Amino acid sequence: MINRIGFGHDVHQLIEGNSLIIGGVSIPYYKGVRAFSDGDVLYHSIVDAILGSLSIGDIGQYFPSNNNKWKGADSQIFLEHANGLMIKKGYSINNIDSTVILQEPKLRPYTISMRKNIARLLNIDINQISIKATTTDKMGYIGNNEGIAATTIILLSK
């Protein structure tokens, strides 16, 4: 068996009046992300973890922000594409471990829905997906509620 580990990271600015979509879930909040696509930091970090584990680039290589085709795009498209590339290379996902970093709002009420969305899109069991949330204890741009980030580590096998 061949195992490959990947790491993904994404960051976006938070601004008033924009939508906040995390893990495919629209979260009611007075701030949302400033982004070229829908700015789903969780999906983006998973995409980069998949691509990185396969050594085939990053999300910007496949979906560049200078191509208007991707303006406002649903990040589900990015995740499905990365999954397809992984499958073509003969790999499958063992597990995904992600952390969303933001000061507020609290994400616990939404993490099951996020896990269900990811499981459905990647055709894996929900128990292969962990999503955690943390704050920065009011330090830095995230702690000042100016930004959001997500990190993901993934294990693939062939």
Side-chain angles (χ1 to χ4, degrees), residues 23 43 46 79 83 93 96 111-131:
Y43 278 6
I46 295 170
L79 192 54
N83 191 51
I93 295 171
I96 296 171
T111 56
I112 293 293
S113 295
M114 292 174 194
R115 291 172 65 211
K116 285 178 181 177
N117 288 341
I118 295 163
R120 177 182 50 81
L121 292 170
L122 299 178
N123 197 30
I124 60 176
D125 189 271
I126 193 171
N127 293 315
Q128 293 172 270
I129 305 160
S130 171
I131 299 172

Side-chain angles (χ1 to χ4, degrees), residues 26-148:
S26 183
I27 298 173
Y29 192 58
Y30 77 101
K31 284 187 171 184
V33 296
R34 173 178 283 163
F36 190 73
S37 67
D38 67 4
D40 190 324
V41 293
L42 181 55
Y43 278 6
H44 293 185
S45 72
I46 295 170
V47 168
D48 268 346
I50 292 170
L51 298 174
S53 69
L54 299 170
S55 301
I56 57 172
D58 61 42
I59 194 169
Q61 182 176 330
Y62 294 88
F63 306 100
S65 59
N66 62 0
N67 183 339
N68 280 332
K69 177 179 181 179
W70 308 119
K71 186 164 181 61
D74 184 334
S75 295
Q76 174 179 325
I77 296 165
F78 308 160
L79 192 54
E80 291 171 330
H81 183 76
N83 191 51
L85 294 172
M86 177 197 70
I87 291 168
K88 282 182 188 173
K89 291 194 170 280
Y91 286 90
S92 61
I93 295 171
N94 281 348
N95 72 300
I96 296 171
D97 185 15
S98 297
T99 303
V100 179
I101 308 148
L102 75 165
Q103 195 60 42
E104 52 184 46
K106 299 296 182 196
L107 296 185
R108 184 165 293 146
Y110 308 102
T111 56
I112 293 293
S113 295
M114 292 174 194
R115 291 172 65 211
K116 285 178 181 177
N117 288 341
I118 295 163
R120 177 182 50 81
L121 292 170
L122 299 178
N123 197 30
I124 60 176
D125 189 271
I126 193 171
N127 293 315
Q128 293 172 270
I129 305 160
S130 171
I131 299 172
K132 304 170 301 297
T134 191
T135 70
T136 60
D137 291 326
K138 301 191 178 196
M139 295 183 297
Y141 68 92
I142 291 176
N144 290 328
N145 207 24
E146 297 169 2
I148 182 172

